[in-house]
Amino acid sequence: MTKGKTPRGIPGFHLASFNFGLLRHDWDAPEIADFANGLDLVNGVAERAAGFVWRLEDGAMEAAQADPASPFQGNPRMASTLSVWADADSLGAFVWNTVHRQFYARKGEWYDAPGALVLWWVPEGHRPDMAEGYARWQHRNEFGDSDQAFGWSYLEEAATWTAHACDRIAAE
């Protein structure tokens, strides 16, 4: 796989997406209520979206975040999502053309800093875990965008991302 490969799909591969960030307040704080109360809605829309393949279930994600031995060291304010999509355009359509966009627009109210995002290609049928997602993010952080780990801008033909010209810091 090389830069510029069509995000509409590489035969035999799907696109994994891992994002995470530190909330400004505890999960039960009123300042986070709109975010916390909207998760089921946003996740439900994702699961019904064209091109959605899989996401790490809430219980498994929460357990991984709460584990003191995890990369997040059990930080109770961590929020993350790990999902797999048929291609970049499917993920982009969900992010920018659904209720998710309204939540993304409010990220500054809920998160301490712009969130972290990493994308990578996985063989069809593969279900990454949080450790794999974090390792991919670390690889991207250390070496920059590559076929191993990348952001939206690495996918030159990611039409939905390009059309929205989203905040480069948060989306890359």
Side-chain angles (χ1 to χ4, degrees):
M1 287 173 278
T2 60
K3 182 175 180 178
K5 257 318 196 183
T6 177
R8 288 178 179 78
I10 296 174
F13 286 85
H14 286 149
L15 184 66
S17 172
F18 179 53
N19 63 72
F20 60 92
L22 192 60
L23 296 172
R24 289 182 182 269
H25 305 278
D26 291 337
W27 279 95
D28 59 355
E31 296 88 350
I32 302 298
D34 287 348
F35 176 76
N37 293 336
L39 287 176
D40 287 341
L41 170 65
V42 173
N43 289 335
V45 169
E47 291 171 0
R48 291 185 302 277
F52 173 83
V53 175
W54 171 88
R55 78 175 178 89
L56 186 63
E57 293 181 13
D58 296 340
M61 184 175 48
E62 290 165 11
Q65 289 173 179
D67 181 356
S70 79
F72 301 127
Q73 301 173 340
N75 190 320
R77 290 188 178 172
M78 187 56 59
S80 64
T81 303
L82 176 61
S83 58
V84 176
W85 296 80
D87 52 50
D89 284 340
S90 297
L91 174 59
F94 161 70
V95 169
W96 303 115
N97 298 336
T98 71
V99 68
H100 179 278
R101 184 177 181 170
Q102 295 169 20
F103 282 77
Y104 183 84
R106 295 182 63 190
K107 68 186 180 301
E109 294 176 43
W110 301 321
Y111 288 93
D112 272 336
L117 169 74
V118 64
L119 305 169
W120 71 101
W121 297 108
V122 297
E124 287 182 11
H126 178 66
R127 303 297 180 252
D129 61 16
M130 297 275 281
E132 179 180 347
Y134 193 79
R136 295 287 181 148
W137 176 78
Q138 285 181 305
H139 186 277
R140 183 175 180 231
N141 236 16
E142 186 172 341
F143 301 107
D145 286 338
S146 70
D147 286 348
Q148 297 299 310
F150 48 88
W152 284 109
S153 62
Y154 191 72
L155 297 170
E156 293 174 347
E157 298 175 28
T160 306
W161 179 79
T162 302
H164 285 88
C166 62
D167 178 66
R168 302 273 185 213
I169 294 171
E172 294 182 354

